Amino acid sequence: MGKTHVLAIPYPAQGHVIPLMEVAQCLAENGIKVTFVNTDFNHNRIEKALQQKGDINELINLVSIADGLELWEDRNDLGKLTEAMIKLMPEKLETLIETINGTVSDKIVCIITDYGLGWALEVAKKMEIRRAAFLPASVALLTLAINVLKLVDDGIIDSAGIPLKKQVIQLSPDMPEMNTENFAWTCIGDVTTQKILFQSILQNNKAAKLADWLICNSSYELEPGALNLVPNCLPIGPLLASNRVGNSAGYFWPHDSSCLEWLDRQLSNSVIYVAFGSFTIFDQTQFQELAFGLELTNRPFLWVVRQDITHDIDQSYPKGFKERVKNRGKMVSWAPQQRVLSHPSVACFMSHCGWNSTIEGISNGVPFLCWPYFADQFLNQSYICDHWAIGLDLNKDESGIITQEEIRNKVEHLVNDRNYKTRALNLQAKTMSSVTGGGSSQKNFSNFLDWIKDN
Ligand SMILES: O=c1ccn([C@@H]2O[C@H](COP(=O)(O)OP(=O)(O)O[C@H]3O[C@H](CO)[C@@H](O)[C@H](O)[C@H]3O)[C@@H](O)[C@H]2O)c(=O)[nH]1
């Protein structure tokens, strides 16, 4: 008998590919064959960045389809990307499935798609294939998304998703507050982009009704309030490579593992880990101020400086910066983040608060310094600072800059007040209980697996 075969398709962004790849690895470990569909653009960089073939289970087959943009077009323009994808990808996906099913005996029995690609659920429905949606972000974000029409009715946003006034809302007392200015779609790009993203939320909400399963990278222990509002959303997280024996995969840039040896040489609980995910861009002034701030802390730091973190080709560090910080500072262009955060030398995490970074920090009991950039990151910041109280936010001065003194002061505050670390360790213990010893996420995953196998 052939193997059970599923197709997994992530939204084409780093924070979406990595956790869905983790789901795929867990399925493959349980004997499921997975066809993992990236966009051509991401497929090429993932293949290039892959360090060891063994990092991806051999039951996972990486394939790709076009995203509808030209090679040179800006994929960080999410409005443009969303429009291009919806025009071309449904047809490409359908053809891909037909081709696969026409050539192999073990036909695709189920599609697992990112919640943000509702059209893939429609394709699956049309082709009479069973379907699951995967949410790589917080369940709090999902509750916001599914309540957007109520927000329109309540006069909080207009029918295009634009806030009618600046205000703070709370969907449940057991969830963080949300500022209308920082709704996931209102803090991205220009108004045109925001309207496109809002329309896409409406379409995805509608398509989600076609899903037989909705799974997410969270846990009941972490987001009880939000999960109460969406009982059909089943958490299977935290999704981490360390839950199995293996490395994370699906990263867009090669990991520079020299930082692990550097971490080995640092004192326990001493290092500031600084990383802002895959989208954050700094202007030159802020970039330099961050460098000065790290210098001013007088503490060891590991800083991920992506090649595209500023618009300047030549990221210029302040004059003499590297000579002054010497070995106290380590800069890499991309780190094996999950392994870095589990290293005993790491004291705190200066982060953009992407959901994966948030989950990875929590799972290792690391307190945060929050520096959100866009999308759901402000909501995650509220979770971290106000709701779980495991971190501090970095505030801008009147000229809109996070100054070096602010960085130094907040680092000192966070590291010297042991309550942050204590709460972070407590949250870690609670959260990790869901993926150990038959915890709730393990049970959900096991039920999900049974459903997939039952074809
Ligand atoms: O040097 C690095 C830095 C990051 N990572 C990994 O890259 C992923 C980054 O994910 P995330 O922290 O979620 O950030 P983004 O890539 O910015 O993720 C996008 O997708 C997330 C999930 O929807 C959203 O929460 C974010 O706001 C959105 O920007 C994580 O698994 C990290 O471990 C590395 O491997 N090496």
Side-chain angles (χ1 to χ4, degrees):
M1 211 175 87
K3 292 211 174 302
T4 304
H5 186 179
V6 311
L7 179 143
I9 176 163
Y11 183 89
Q14 182 68 103
H16 295 241
V17 172
I18 290 177
L20 188 58
M21 176 61 79
E22 194 49 47
V23 176
Q25 301 260 38
C26 294
L27 293 173
E29 281 203 340
N30 283 281
I32 307 282
K33 177 173 162 182
V34 184
T35 292
F36 197 91
V37 189
N38 282 300
T39 59
D40 294 339
F41 186 83
N42 287 341
H43 178 81
N44 288 338
R45 45 184 182 170
I46 289 168
E47 293 257 288
K48 251 195 235 154
L50 197 61
Q51 268 133 354
Q52 300 169 56
K53 206 87 196 120
D55 284 350
I56 297 190
N57 190 300
E58 55 188 19
L59 282 180
I60 300 175
N61 188 22
L62 300 182
V63 301
S64 68
I65 53 180
D67 60 13
L69 287 179
E70 297 296 331
L71 191 62
W72 48 267
E73 283 184 286
D74 179 11
R75 284 164 172 79
N76 286 354
D77 182 336
L78 297 181
K80 224 166 137 188
L81 177 65
T82 303
E83 285 191 326
M85 287 195 303
I86 208 152
K87 253 192 224 144
L88 186 72
M89 288 184 84
E91 167 199 327
K92 293 276 174 197
L93 180 64
E94 197 174 329
T95 310
L96 175 74
I97 296 171
E98 274 166 4
T99 311
I100 292 173
N101 283 350
T103 46
V104 297
S105 56
D106 34 21
K107 302 198 189 320
I108 292 164
V109 295
C110 165
I111 290 191
I112 309 174
T113 175
D114 195 287
Y115 189 92
L117 303 182
W119 49 262
L121 292 169
E122 285 161 9
V123 170
K125 161 100 175 139
K126 181 177 162 202
M127 300 183 84
E128 296 179 357
I129 299 173
R130 296 186 307 154
R131 43 216 173 260
F134 170 67
L135 176 79
S138 70
V139 181
L141 179 71
L142 176 68
T143 62
L144 177 66
I146 59 182
N147 274 297
V148 287
L149 291 178
K150 185 169 182 314
L151 298 182
V152 175
D153 287 347
D154 292 349
I156 292 167
I157 53 176
D158 68 17
S159 59
I162 306 303
L164 292 168
K165 65 171 193 234
K166 191 176 154 181
Q167 59 182 306
V168 170
I169 63 155
Q170 198 172 22
L171 295 175
S172 134
D174 209 8
M175 271 173 59
E177 292 184 335
M178 304 179 192
N179 187 325
T180 50
E181 281 189 323
N182 294 334
F183 281 164
W185 64 95
T186 58
C187 58
I188 295 187
D190 56 12
V191 175
T192 310
T193 305
Q194 294 168 12
K195 288 183 177 172
I196 296 170
L197 296 178
F198 185 74
Q199 283 313 312
S200 156
I201 291 173
L202 294 175
Q203 285 160 4
N204 291 331
N205 285 344
K206 205 166 142 218
K209 298 198 170 73
L210 302 175
D212 303 301
W213 276 73
L214 173 56
I215 52 172
C216 67
N217 186 12
S218 189
S219 81
Y220 294 114
E221 290 74 9
L222 195 57
E223 296 196 81
L227 279 158
N228 227 339
L229 298 183
V230 270
N232 64 322
C233 183
L234 299 172
I236 58 165
L239 288 163
L240 301 167
S242 55
N243 294 347
R244 7 168 225 110
V245 187
N247 290 325
S248 63
Y251 32 87
F252 290 172
W253 300 278
H255 283 159
D256 181 344
S257 295
S258 67
C259 59
L260 296 174
E261 287 136 42
W262 179 87
L263 281 172
D264 287 341
R265 293 196 293 275
Q266 309 308 314
L267 293 177
S268 161
N269 207 23
S270 68
V271 173
I272 313 167
Y273 173 53
V274 186
F276 303 100
S278 57
F279 282 103
T280 303
I281 306 265
F282 288 109
D283 64 26
Q284 191 61 18
T285 312
Q286 185 63 83
F287 180 78
Q288 293 222 351
E289 197 66 18
L290 169 54
F292 279 128
L294 293 172
E295 192 179 339
L296 206 59
T297 62
N298 248 328
R299 293 177 182 274
F301 60 87
L302 169 58
W303 181 11
V304 178
V305 185
R306 272 189 355 257
Q307 266 158 15
D308 59 349
I309 204 163
T310 69
H311 282 307
D312 301 85
I313 311 274
D314 169 30
Q315 281 144 8
S316 37
Y317 294 97
K319 197 158 180 281
F321 170 76
K322 287 189 176 169
E323 292 72 22
R324 288 192 302 275
V325 297
K326 296 200 186 74
N327 285 338
R328 177 163 71 80
K330 171 89 179 161
M331 277 79 78
V332 292
S333 58
W334 198 242
Q337 179 165 300
Q338 294 192 14
R339 293 175 69 193
V340 166
L341 284 167
S342 67
H343 198 285
S345 298
V346 171
C348 62
F349 183 10
M350 187 183 290
S351 168
H352 69 310
C353 310
W355 185 246
N356 297 283
S357 294
T358 304
I359 285 272
E360 290 161 7
I362 290 171
S363 304
N364 288 293
V366 179
F368 286 83
L369 287 158
C370 300
W371 192 325
Y373 177 67
F374 74 176
D376 57 339
Q377 297 160 11
F378 294 91
L379 175 56
N380 301 337
Q381 175 188 37
S382 320
Y383 252 146
I384 292 169
C385 299
D386 311 327
H387 198 73
W388 301 315
I390 56 163
L392 291 170
D393 39 20
L394 291 158
N395 296 317
K396 293 183 175 158
D397 71 0
E398 56 290 345
S399 63
I401 285 281
I402 294 181
T403 63
Q404 49 188 292
E405 291 80 16
E406 170 73 358
I407 292 169
R408 193 246 340 254
N409 294 344
K410 289 288 170 67
V411 167
E412 284 313 303
H413 182 167
L414 188 74
V415 172
N416 291 327
D417 184 343
R418 295 288 304 164
N419 291 317
Y420 287 97
K421 183 71 186 174
T422 306
R423 283 190 294 263
L425 290 172
N426 288 339
L427 190 62
Q428 173 192 26
K430 258 171 53 175
T431 306
M432 292 309 285
S433 70
S434 56
V435 282
T436 47
S440 51
S441 288
Q442 277 187 339
K443 279 191 195 134
N444 281 341
F445 181 75
S446 156
N447 291 338
F448 180 54
L449 190 62
D450 288 347
W451 172 76
I452 289 179
K453 284 182 174 166
D454 181 24
N455 57 83

